[in-house]
Amino acid sequence: MAASTKLPLRQLGRNGPFVPRLGLGLMSASGVYNAPLSEADHLAFLDEAYKRGETFWDTADKYGTSEDVLGRWFAANPDKREHIFLASKFGIVLTPGGTASFKVNSTPEYCREAIESSLRRLNLPYIDIYYIHRLDKVTPIEKTMEAMVELKNAGKIKYVGLSECSAESLRRAHAVHPITAVQVEYSLFCRAIESPQIRLLETARELGVAIVCYSPLGNGFIANTIRIREDVKPEYARVYLPWLKEENLEQNVAVVEKIANIAASKGVSSAQLALAWLLAQGDDIFPIPGTTKPHRLVENLESVHISVSADEETALREIADAMVGGRFQALTGYDFADTPVL
């Protein structure tokens, strides 16, 4: 069994299981924002997460060696598999040209191919929740969902999720088979899902679909470690973020400092405050911060015990409204994606 934990559990959507209130994003461990962990350190980090009761793990087939390392961890810890709620994804295919070069393929054929590859790397017979990582805007969502239902009926996945979909795509997918969760960027700095134009949060709540929040710390920016452009290593993905462009950085650092001041007045870190703010948005909100450092893991987990008052919530929103630069996903052309009518 997992070590005794004080992490609260909540139901993941209307049809999902109870999982830790805070998940663990595993993209960073594979070297997207920083140098990747060595395999030994990666395995030790997973051990630490498990020991801390952090058993809601999120990976994807595009996260470097993540699935391979997880496969070795599960092989070494077969008795612990049943205690891990594991998420993976398909649909983003990396292409030559660096971190930001990719194509999207959400066809049924690729879905079936991708799950077999992921299960082989993971050395597992099933994945708990499988997300369509991005919609290719060519394949009708109903066709992809038919393939996802096949996988579920075959016992290869337990729950179905979408990522970066439009409200209408979510509604159409849900009509084929209940969607358990939508994974989407949501943070103090990125609240697009709340907007009346996007309507994704509103639609998810209507349908009983959980929101799993990637980049809940603004790609690490909210953690208050970036002060000047030189703090952004050019070889990693963070360099592409509009928030961190030279012309935006000074104003945005000032925003981060104001958040840090509120955090300091509460005796918590900026990251903890930002996660607590997200948790305060509702029991259907599940942040999945990523880190590679055990002490940051512990710091993040402690955020579940931090309260945010109504006045603090309003003040944080007002401060974050001054952010300039927009979100990276909008530059890809696949944010809140629609698909052709069947």
Side-chain angles (χ1 to χ4, degrees), residues 32-87:
V32 175
Y33 290 132
N34 299 287
L37 292 176
S38 69
E39 183 168 316
D41 287 344
H42 200 156
L43 291 169
F45 181 75
L46 295 173
D47 285 336
E48 183 68 16
Y50 184 86
K51 184 178 78 172
R52 297 284 176 180
E54 175 48 274
T55 55
F56 179 9
W57 294 358
D58 184 274
T59 189
D61 59 2
K62 74 173 284 284
Y63 296 168
T65 60
S66 180
E67 288 185 330
D68 298 278
V69 176
L70 282 165
R72 286 188 269 282
W73 190 88
F74 285 120
N77 299 276
D79 57 318
K80 297 176 181 176
R81 170 63 184 104
E82 64 181 295
H83 307 301
I84 301 295
F85 187 79
L86 179 67

Side-chain angles (χ1 to χ4, degrees), residues 110-141:
Y110 185 64
C111 175
R112 298 183 189 103
E113 176 186 333
I115 188 71
E116 298 303 332
S117 296
S118 285
L119 291 175
R120 184 171 59 253
R121 286 189 292 269
L122 291 164
N123 194 31
L124 294 176
Y126 72 92
I127 294 168
D128 293 285
I129 185 168
Y130 199 45
Y131 293 98
I132 307 171
H133 206 165
R134 293 292 184 272
L135 303 179
D136 61 19
K137 302 194 295 184
V138 176
T139 307
I141 186 62

